[in-house]
Amino acid sequence: MTNQGKEDIAIVGAGPVGALLAVMLARKGYKVDLFESRPDSRPDASARALYQGKSINLALSDRGWLALKAIGLDEEIRAQAIPMTCRMIHAIDGSLARQPYGRENQAIWSVSRAGINEQLITLAEQQAGVEVHFEHKLTGLDFNSGSCAFDAPGKGQERVDCRRGLIFGADGTFSKVRRLAQELPGQRISYSLDYMPQSYIELTIPASSDGSFLMEKNALHIWPRKNFMLIALPNPDGSFTCTLFMDLQGALSFESLDDEHKVSDFFRKYFPDAMPLLTDPVATFMAKAPSPLCLVHIDPWVIQEKVALIGDAAHAMVPFYGQGMNCGFEDCRVLSELVEQHQHHWPDILPAYQQARKENCDAIIELAKRNFVEMSDLAGDARFLLRKKIEAKFSEMHPELWIPLYSMVTFSPELPYAQALAVGEVQKEIMDEVMNLPDIEQNWQADCTYRLLYQLAQEKLTPNTLAKTVSNPLSPGPLNSLSQQKEVKA
Ligand code: FAD
């Protein structure tokens, strides 16, 4: 093995985070073995072809772009991504309201989850020193010796010796690496996996017969219905992938809608404009088992200086801020920077990695949980929308003083999540006071409103905190290139 005396690295899980980590570490001279339980999903095993198919999509934003830019894959991925500049709120009467995500040239981007994963695996395979092992399911791990056991179809149990190396658990929400760590005798591991009351199923709105979009393309569509909601993200082929989030149990829930009539009435009543566009919503609803949503907290992330968790394995969150993968990509970027900073000295890198990430990931887990209420309920609430309008106007007047919380999380990729959470809490206090001004509904544009906001912001938000919130190393970058995409203006 020729890796100039550096440790070998095994990564368990070739999801988006494991594959990105493999690329980053290989480029730093490490020999990396990437183990994945699934078979290779790429249509062409040599995998030069880019992913074309329809699939589950997700929202990629600036933290994700920053990590992808670090490995030079951002442009290739952006070529297939669709910018979503606003939320499009679908009221129950079918009326539409557009809520911009940020300033004019800011967007989140709809990308295919499988597509981005496959592109990252292909790039990983192209790196010297990386070997990808599909159909290798981790079943055992000796934390002392570093010996890993995998189930490999046709080969039975395979043992891989990582004695000289490090092991990363990038194996997702139900991480086997994490479970094995918890079983270690004598380890003090604090851990929780909380199931949310909501579960979800995916539905589809197909492209029209000429391949065009049946709804506004450059938007994330939301049908907020308080205790449940439907969302839709666009795909390059003209279709939308929709997700219905709803309680698993209760008066109106996946379990209570237990026959076709009830399901049909439900869609007709709550999603009258979406119902005729969806492909077989009733049959799909009846056929699909709802998937769970979980939050994972674990401490420590690093076990016996040899094994570390990353991505969802360390911090699974609910998808309501669109940050799970972005946050996992940020884990990789930060870790990669720490490798340089600590000159490849892992006994320093791993504790620094946990120190840098744990608090921030706890913060985004919390923010994501809170955002369900904002998306499913408040997005259709007039007072909440007024609050957002005032904040946006003030932010335009004083960008040095105020970046809305959503923008801090989504468009300020170097701002730690924990800081966004802390600043957001002070902003909430300030806005509560402003919203209590008499006749704010009529006077929201009045100078006195913004004078009060200015005074409170000066008093309560420290200049140091704010200076960091406005920096964005991606500008000019994907944000500016957005305005070059003709469809956005169309
Ligand atoms: P995973 O994607 O779970 O990958 C883990 C990999 O490990 C898998 O390939 C799995 O097969 C493999 N594996 C598991 N066990 C083993 C084993 N024993 N041995 C070997 N391999 C194993 N994030 C966003 O940023 N934006 C969004 O808009 C967004 N929307 C979402 C919507 C929904 C409905 C959900 C559920 C999630 C969403 N997310 C979103 C979150 C995002 O999908 C995850 O954060 C991201 O996939 C985490 O990547 P990962 O590589 O850490 O884990």
Side-chain angles (χ1 to χ4, degrees):
M1 289 175 200
T2 56
N3 65 337
Q4 302 115 31
K6 288 178 185 151
E7 293 86 344
D8 294 342
I9 292 182
I11 300 173
V12 181
V17 173
L20 174 63
L21 183 65
V23 174
M24 287 183 163
L25 292 178
R27 290 196 179 166
K28 298 202 177 302
Y30 292 92
K31 178 181 179 304
V32 180
D33 286 286
L34 181 56
F35 297 97
E36 169 56 50
S37 54
R38 290 171 296 140
D40 190 351
S41 62
R42 291 167 298 177
D44 165 8
S46 68
R48 295 282 177 271
L50 295 181
Y51 185 83
Q52 299 293 334
K54 245 191 298 186
S55 78
I56 295 167
N57 49 22
L58 37 71
L60 184 63
S61 53
D62 284 11
R63 291 175 198 264
W65 285 122
L66 192 59
L68 293 172
K69 193 178 165 75
I71 58 160
L73 198 63
D74 52 328
E75 288 306 326
E76 196 179 302
I77 287 180
R78 195 169 312 114
Q80 298 173 305
I82 299 177
M84 300 179 288
T85 56
C86 64
R87 290 168 170 171
M88 187 66 80
I89 304 296
H90 295 242
I92 208 152
D93 64 4
S95 60
L96 298 177
R98 177 189 295 266
Q99 297 174 8
Y101 272 121
R103 290 199 284 275
E104 209 195 332
N105 63 348
Q106 288 179 317
I108 59 175
W109 300 68
S110 177
V111 294
S112 151
R113 187 195 176 286
I116 204 169
N117 198 177
E118 291 175 358
Q119 281 170 269
L120 281 164
I121 290 174
T122 298
L123 187 62
E125 276 177 343
Q126 289 164 356
Q127 310 304 305
V130 174
E131 235 180 284
V132 185
H133 311 265
F134 289 103
E135 301 186 70
H136 274 68
K137 181 176 181 177
L138 182 88
T139 53
L141 172 51
D142 183 330
F143 286 77
N144 292 316
S145 70
S147 166
C148 304
F150 294 93
D151 257 352
K155 296 183 189 165
Q157 277 268 324
E158 208 172 284
R159 286 220 154 257
V160 176
D161 187 359
C162 301
R163 207 174 297 267
R164 277 200 334 110
L166 296 160
I167 299 158
F168 281 94
D171 49 347
T173 305
F174 299 99
S175 167
K176 181 72 177 175
V177 175
R178 192 182 65 219
R179 274 179 285 151
L180 291 168
Q182 287 171 260
E183 288 166 10
L184 273 180
Q187 276 291 315
R188 296 189 175 185
I189 296 182
S190 303
Y191 167 73
S192 65
L193 185 149
D194 296 298
Y195 284 95
M196 299 302 289
Q198 303 87 16
S199 294
Y200 69 94
I201 57 166
E202 266 133 17
L203 301 152
T204 305
I205 292 179
S208 69
S209 51
D210 64 359
S212 60
F213 289 86
L214 288 171
M215 303 186 296
E216 158 77 47
K217 171 185 178 185
N218 295 109
L220 191 155
H221 295 262
I222 309 180
W223 291 258
R225 300 292 182 260
K226 202 171 163 93
N227 293 325
F228 55 93
M229 69 173 161
L230 180 69
I231 66 168
L233 276 74
N235 295 310
D237 66 358
S239 66
F240 288 86
T241 304
C242 309
T243 313
L244 173 65
F245 296 99
M246 178 159 83
D247 283 355
L248 183 64
Q249 296 168 321
L252 184 51
S253 64
F254 281 112
E255 279 190 11
S256 76
L257 297 174
D258 54 4
D259 71 41
E260 289 186 1
H261 290 295
K262 288 184 197 165
V263 176
S264 173
D265 289 349
F266 168 75
F267 276 99
R268 227 184 295 283
K269 178 169 177 189
Y270 292 106
F271 309 116
D273 60 336
M275 172 107 178
L277 307 181
L278 287 160
T279 306
D280 300 330
V282 176
T284 312
F285 186 103
M286 294 304 294
K288 283 197 174 173
S291 303
L293 295 172
C294 310
L295 310 179
V296 167
H297 291 91
I298 182 155
D299 192 20
W301 288 13
V302 178
I303 299 109
Q304 297 191 352
E305 298 186 348
K306 194 170 184 62
V307 178
L309 300 172
I310 195 159
D312 275 15
H315 50 67
M317 65 193 75
V318 288
F320 306 125
Y321 232 115
Q323 283 295 312
M325 185 181 71
N326 286 286
C327 176
F329 281 5
E330 189 172 81
D331 291 345
C332 298
R333 178 181 65 79
V334 169
L335 180 74
S336 167
E337 288 170 5
L338 288 169
V339 172
E340 292 302 319
Q341 216 171 303
H342 293 282
Q343 299 173 347
H344 299 259
H345 189 244
W346 287 93
D348 292 337
I349 296 166
L350 291 179
Y353 160 68
Q354 156 144 359
Q355 170 85 17
R357 297 305 296 153
K358 171 75 181 139
E359 180 195 16
N360 287 310
C361 293
D362 286 347
I364 187 60
I365 291 174
E366 177 59 27
L367 284 165
K369 197 167 77 168
R370 290 182 194 173
N371 220 39
F372 179 73
V373 180
E374 179 162 334
M375 278 181 88
S376 68
D377 188 6
L378 299 176
D381 175 293
R383 252 184 98 75
F384 173 78
L385 297 180
L386 177 63
R387 196 179 173 113
K388 292 280 158 198
K389 252 201 242 175
I390 296 172
E391 272 195 72
K393 181 169 171 179
F394 184 61
S395 174
E396 254 172 47
M397 292 162 72
H398 294 288
E400 77 293 356
L401 263 185
W402 196 283
I403 304 288
L405 176 58
Y406 186 84
S407 299
M408 286 192 279
V409 170
T410 310
F411 303 126
S412 306
E414 287 194 319
L415 178 78
Y417 286 122
Q419 201 173 339
L421 175 66
V423 172
E425 271 166 6
V426 181
Q427 288 180 335
K428 179 178 178 306
E429 263 174 47
I430 295 173
M431 284 307 297
D432 285 348
E433 209 168 321
V434 169
M435 293 303 289
N436 277 336
L437 286 172
D439 301 324
I440 185 71
E441 282 84 356
Q442 286 76 47
N443 295 335
W444 74 271
Q445 306 232 47
D447 287 350
C448 58
T449 303
Y450 297 91
R451 272 202 301 275
L452 174 66
L453 248 174
Y454 184 79
Q455 182 200 325
L456 291 172
Q458 288 275 20
E459 253 170 47
K460 298 191 177 192
L461 292 164
T462 66
N464 255 356
T465 310
L466 290 158
K468 274 202 176 168
T469 65
V470 291
S471 86
N472 184 339
L474 287 170
S475 310
L479 309 184
N480 285 357
S481 71
L482 172 61
S483 50
Q484 292 157 13
Q485 299 221 3
K486 288 183 214 110
E487 313 91 276
V488 178
K489 300 273 174 215

